[in-house]
Amino acid sequence: MTGKIHLNYVIPGDDFTRAGEASGEVKKKLKQMGVSPEAVRKVAISMYEGEINMVIHANGGTIDVDISTTDITIVLKDNGPGIKDVALAMQAGYSTAPDKVRALGFGAGMGLPNMKKYSDNLIIDTKLGYGTTVTIVVKIG
Amino acid sequence: MTVGELLSGNDYIVISKGKEATITGVYCCDLLSIAMSHMESGMAWVTVMANRNTLAVAQLADAGCVILAEGVTLDEESVRKAQEENITVLASEKPIFETALAIYEKL
Ligand SMILES: Nc1ncnc2c1ncn2[C@@H]1O[C@H](COP(=O)(O)OP(=O)(O)OP(=O)(O)O)[C@@H](O)[C@H]1O
Ligand SMILES: [Mg+2]
């Protein structure tokens, strides 16, 4: 693997039929590149949770993925409502997901805890009324 | 047991025939972010949550196959997606526990 690879995705809000496609594409790409199954799994889980959170809670946004020889950095940026209490949102089981998305299987309040567990670094930068930027770093190898 | 062997038993309705894989275990949960994190790769995932997001989680978590219990089914669009993504999806009329137990006993 030489040089850096950059991928960019625009994620529409409230579209549950397409949600997860960006994460699926990145997963396939990393697998093709020969990245270890463990790192691929970490990226797949943490990116999917971030992607789906943007769709459910923030009316969509953008995702930038940078792949270097040492790590994968995923930046998920939205202009949604922001997160009032990040420590509370990080707690397993905390969820404000509306009933219509709970009916689809979301709302366990495990997305952010999963992102923490399956990344090597998780940074949540959020401002109420302006939006949220989540940065996930997964180390390779 | 492989996915192929599971299919050959005629115990299920085959909704989508996907990639061949060795089934490493059975996993049951309907909440996607719990399944996503706790299901191990290669497991047969038994659930009643039948939609596109189920397929996304199955693909991302490398499920061996998806088995829809209690007679639930996928809409046509999702069936196409499952085929495109090479995900085996089976359906059973039985409840989750019985469906999972039957696979467990064959592992
Ligand atoms: N991008 C975001 N914008 C605004 N709020 C968010 C965002 N991401 C998460 N949240 C808030 O944090 C809460 C917890 O998120 P988390 O992903 O852990 O659970 P969930 O999305 O509600 O359910 P699950 O992920 O288990 O399906 C959400 O219910 C929501 O209130
Ligand atoms: Mg979530």
Side-chain angles (χ1 to χ4, degrees), chain B residues 87-102:
Chain B
I87 304 167
T88 297
V89 182
L90 309 175
S92 164
E93 292 294 326
K94 293 186 182 141
I96 290 182
F97 177 74
E98 284 174 47
T99 307
L101 185 64

Side-chain angles (χ1 to χ4, degrees), chain B residues 25-31 34-35 38-39 43-48 67 69 95-101 103-104:
Chain B
V26 194
Y27 183 81
C28 308
C29 185
D30 297 322
L31 291 177
I34 293 179
H38 293 163
M39 180 165 45
M43 285 185 163
W45 180 18
V46 187
T47 178
V48 293
I67 302 167
I96 290 182
F97 177 74
E98 284 174 47
T99 307
L101 185 64
I103 300 164
Y104 182 77

Side-chain angles (χ1 to χ4, degrees), chain A residues 14 30 33 37 39 41-43 49 58 65-67 70 85 89:
Chain A
D14 254 334
L30 295 176
M33 290 168 69
R41 180 176 167 84
K42 284 166 80 174
V43 169
E49 294 290 8
V65 183
D66 277 293
I67 308 166
T70 54
D85 184 341

Side-chain angles (χ1 to χ4, degrees), chain B:
Chain B
M1 184 178 45
T2 63
V3 171
E5 282 161 5
L6 193 66
L7 287 172
S8 67
N10 283 329
D11 298 323
Y12 310 94
I13 300 155
V14 180
I15 293 178
S16 161
K17 206 174 153 185
K19 66 174 193 296
E20 187 53 309
T22 299
I23 295 178
T24 56
V26 194
Y27 183 81
C28 308
C29 185
D30 297 322
L31 291 177
L32 299 175
S33 61
I34 293 179
M36 179 94 204
S37 132
H38 293 163
M39 180 165 45
E40 288 165 27
S41 103
M43 285 185 163
W45 180 18
V46 187
T47 178
V48 293
M49 197 56 74
N51 59 51
R52 285 280 282 274
N53 309 294
T54 312
L55 301 175
V57 169
Q59 190 239 330
L60 289 161
D62 276 321
C65 65
V66 175
I67 302 167
L68 303 173
E70 300 275 11
V72 301
T73 59
L74 278 180
D75 60 81
E76 257 175 63
E77 190 71 14
S78 300
V79 173
R80 256 199 305 278
K81 184 77 187 166
Q83 284 160 349
E84 234 174 77
E85 294 291 336
N86 251 321
I87 304 167
T88 297
V89 182
L90 309 175
S92 164
E93 292 294 326
K94 293 186 182 141
I96 290 182
F97 177 74
E98 284 174 47
T99 307
L101 185 64
I103 300 164
Y104 182 77
E105 284 173 341
K106 283 194 218 155
L107 283 179

Side-chain angles (χ1 to χ4, degrees), chain A residues 49 52-53 56-57 110-112, chain B residues 33:
Chain A
E49 294 290 8
I52 217 81
N53 275 357
I56 295 177
H57 306 294
M110 287 307 296
L112 286 169
Chain B
S33 61

Side-chain angles (χ1 to χ4, degrees), chain A residues 49 52-54 56-58 78 80-83 89-91 94-97 105-113 115 132 134, chain B residues 33:
Chain A
E49 294 290 8
I52 217 81
N53 275 357
M54 280 196 331
I56 295 177
H57 306 294
D78 69 57
I83 303 173
M90 287 301 299
Q91 277 180 21
Y94 177 81
S95 173
T96 61
F106 300 109
M110 287 307 296
L112 286 169
M115 285 154 78
T132 303
V134 176
Chain B
S33 61

